Amino acid sequence: MSTTSGAGRGRTSRGACSSCWPTRTARTGCSAATPGSASPLERLGRLSDGGVPYLAPEVQLLYKSKSRRAKDEQDFEAALPVLDVHGRAWLAETIALVEGADHPWAARLRALLAG
C-alpha cells in the first residue's frame, strides 16, 4: 500500500522504497531514484568524533553529481583523498548507473581505482 502525500510518495506502508522493496532488508537502504544502488545503512551515514551523524561523502557526492556546479566540483576534488576504495567504487558505479558511464566523475573515479 503506497501513500499519496508529497512526503510519502514512493514509499510503502512499511517505510521502504517501493522500487526496491523485494531486495531491501533492515540493514540496507536505497534511493527511489537509484534502486540499483542499495547499500548497507552503516555505509550511508557516519558519526563524527563528537557523535554527530552526517551523510557519507560518497552519498553526498552522488547528489552533487547531477548538477556539477563550481562548488560541487570543488567538493568532489576535496573529497577524493578521503574516499576509501569502497566509497570510490560505489560512487563510480552509482554515477554510471544514474548519469551514464561517460560522466566525468565516474571516469575519473574508475581511473583512480585502476591505479
Side-chain angles (χ1 to χ4, degrees):
M1 177 169 131
S2 293
T3 61
T4 56
S5 69
R9 199 168 288 145
R11 298 182 69 82
T12 68
S13 59
R14 291 185 181 177
C17 305
S18 58
S19 60
C20 65
W21 174 249
T23 59
R24 184 184 178 276
T25 69
R27 305 211 36 90
T28 304
C30 69
S31 164
T34 57
S37 66
S39 185
L41 288 176
E42 59 270 8
R43 292 281 313 163
L44 299 178
R46 309 267 170 78
L47 284 178
S48 72
D49 292 338
V52 178
Y54 65 95
L55 199 56
E58 60 269 24
V59 177
Q60 186 62 46
L61 287 171
L62 174 63
Y63 290 102
K64 290 175 167 281
S65 71
K66 294 179 185 296
S67 61
R68 295 185 45 227
R69 301 167 293 185
K71 67 181 185 175
D72 299 328
E73 295 290 338
Q74 290 172 347
D75 289 345
F76 177 72
E77 292 297 327
L80 281 178
V82 299
L83 289 177
D84 62 14
V85 172
H86 177 79
R88 287 180 180 184
W90 180 88
L91 184 58
E93 292 169 14
T94 308
I95 288 175
L97 177 72
V98 175
E99 300 295 328
D102 61 340
H103 189 284
W105 291 6
R108 175 104 184 268
L109 289 161
R110 283 192 304 272
L112 288 170
L113 289 165

